[in-house]
Amino acid sequence: MSFASEAKAEMCRQPINKKCCTAAEIYGILLYCNTFSADDIRIVTESRPFAQRVEKLFSRAFGWEVDQRQGFEAAEGKIVLAVTQREKIDDVFRHFGYERERILAHHINLGVLESECCRVAFVRGAFLAGGSVTDPRKNYHLELITGHFNVSNEVVSVLFEMGFSARNSRRGGNCVTYLKQSEAIEDLLTTLGAPVAAMEIMNAKVEKDMRNSINRKVNCDTANVEKTVNAAMTQIEAIRALEESGALDGLGEKYKETARIRVANPEASIAELAAMADPPVTKSCLNHRLRKIIELAK
């Protein structure tokens, strides 16, 4: 099961209590489902929990069952729920303030969403019918897709009233309302009734941060090792050049000791070499000696 499917299944476990919120959730489903017209209402989904919830919502809000239900028998595949009886469609249209014979384009009737709980239920319905959220291990993206241009613009205002700043775009013939900030997606999923999915996003962020931190440290350590090795190679080449020319014997004892411990310990850092000197010296002192050896070799 995908991350989006798990989030939707979690939302479907929310109790169906207040009748106003039940209607608001159906409203969101209708405006984001496959077909919501004066002749036909059709909801197509692969989620059995969602399909079962739709049936309960219609029964609770209107007191009647859907006219057609296909696909429940199969373990997998699409499930189709349809309302085709004229009287039932009239009932739905009247409930949401539409005139069935005169509607040209859908708008959100904000009167249905006056309370905060109804706005939450409406957006939950919209997400269940036309929403998706990306697996947080890959990306952060939540979207609502509808074929109704006005609805897409107006749902941005609904989300804004709930404290979320969403954006709109077009994709083919559909309108997409989306969120890309991980914190906003976490908060919205929690608000809609999917706190476990929201927690998964938080955990994914922690894992990503830890992985990035480890990678930065490894890259830093690797760079430091390469820097130490390159410096050591330069110093050892300078020492070999002085040995071949016989100039090394003419240097003082402290420079010869520095050359000896450098050649014997090519992977050691300056601090480690300084501690090996007899007597031990500071990093600055040993570094000065090695720079002097390089200058003489040049």
Side-chain angles (χ1 to χ4, degrees):
M1 186 181 291
S2 69
F3 179 72
S5 297
E6 290 175 354
K8 290 183 178 183
E10 187 180 359
M11 290 179 198
C12 287
R13 292 192 288 271
Q14 286 292 301
I16 300 172
N17 293 324
K18 297 172 67 175
K19 198 165 184 178
C20 63
C21 294
T22 302
E25 187 167 336
I26 289 178
Y27 195 26
I29 291 170
L30 292 173
L31 291 175
Y32 279 82
C33 72
N34 299 77
T35 306
F36 178 34
S37 70
D39 301 313
D40 186 23
I41 295 173
R42 195 168 297 273
I43 301 164
V44 181
T45 179
E46 293 185 358
S47 169
R48 189 171 298 273
F50 174 47
Q52 293 169 342
R53 186 174 181 85
V54 169
E55 290 189 295
K56 292 177 183 177
L57 290 169
F58 271 111
S59 179
R60 167 70 172 149
F62 301 110
W64 42 254
E65 309 296 329
V66 299
D67 297 323
Q68 298 176 15
R69 53 194 311 276
Q70 302 170 0
F72 276 95
E73 298 78 12
E76 296 181 351
K78 293 183 178 180
I79 298 172
V80 180
L81 301 172
V83 178
T84 55
Q85 291 184 33
R86 183 184 182 90
E87 296 79 8
K88 292 181 179 180
I89 296 176
D90 283 340
D91 197 9
V92 172
F93 273 65
R94 278 195 305 270
H95 191 91
F96 297 119
Y98 294 153
E99 294 185 32
R100 182 173 177 271
E101 302 298 337
R102 298 179 58 183
I103 188 166
L104 297 176
H106 283 295
H107 285 268
I108 297 177
N109 181 356
L110 297 177
V112 180
L113 312 179
E114 289 183 347
S115 63
E116 178 67 19
C117 61
C118 290
R119 287 192 286 271
V120 171
F122 173 83
V123 177
R124 183 191 302 121
F127 181 79
L128 289 172
S132 180
V133 60
T134 304
D135 188 328
R137 291 169 295 183
K138 300 176 181 178
N139 200 1
Y140 304 121
H141 184 86
L142 182 147
E143 64 183 24
L144 305 171
I145 304 175
T146 180
H148 308 300
F149 176 77
N150 298 318
V151 171
S152 183
N153 287 334
E154 291 157 1
V155 81
V156 171
S157 300
V158 174
L159 286 168
F160 184 78
E161 288 188 35
M162 294 170 58
F164 300 98
S165 181
R167 292 189 174 186
N168 273 344
S169 67
R170 299 295 295 269
R171 185 185 301 157
N174 292 319
C175 303
V176 182
T177 303
Y178 64 90
L179 295 170
K180 283 189 172 292
Q181 301 82 11
S182 61
E183 293 83 1
I185 295 173
E186 293 164 13
D187 291 344
L188 183 58
L189 288 176
T190 301
T191 300
L192 299 183
V196 175
M199 186 62 69
E200 286 191 38
I201 296 177
M202 297 177 197
N203 291 338
K205 284 169 58 180
V206 171
E207 290 177 6
K208 284 182 182 179
D209 289 344
M210 289 181 61
R211 194 180 305 115
N212 290 338
S213 177
I214 291 170
N215 287 339
R216 284 194 297 271
K217 189 176 186 308
V218 168
N219 291 338
C220 182
D221 291 345
T222 301
N224 288 337
V225 169
E226 289 179 355
K227 184 178 179 181
T228 298
V229 170
N230 290 336
M233 293 300 295
T234 300
Q235 294 155 5
I236 291 172
E237 286 177 2
I239 292 168
R240 297 297 187 203
L242 291 176
E243 284 180 335
E244 291 175 2
S245 66
L248 186 62
D249 292 335
L251 299 179
E253 187 59 33
K254 61 183 180 180
Y255 286 100
K256 287 193 285 186
E257 181 196 34
T258 298
R260 178 181 60 77
I261 60 176
R262 172 77 282 179
V263 172
N265 303 277
E267 296 181 359
S269 66
I270 297 297
E272 292 168 336
L273 293 177
M276 295 176 190
D278 187 20
V281 297
T282 63
K283 284 173 56 179
S284 177
C285 176
L286 194 93
N287 201 33
H288 172 75
R289 293 180 187 176
L290 289 170
R291 284 202 304 268
K292 186 69 174 178
I293 288 173
I294 292 172
E295 290 173 5
L296 290 171
K298 289 180 179 179

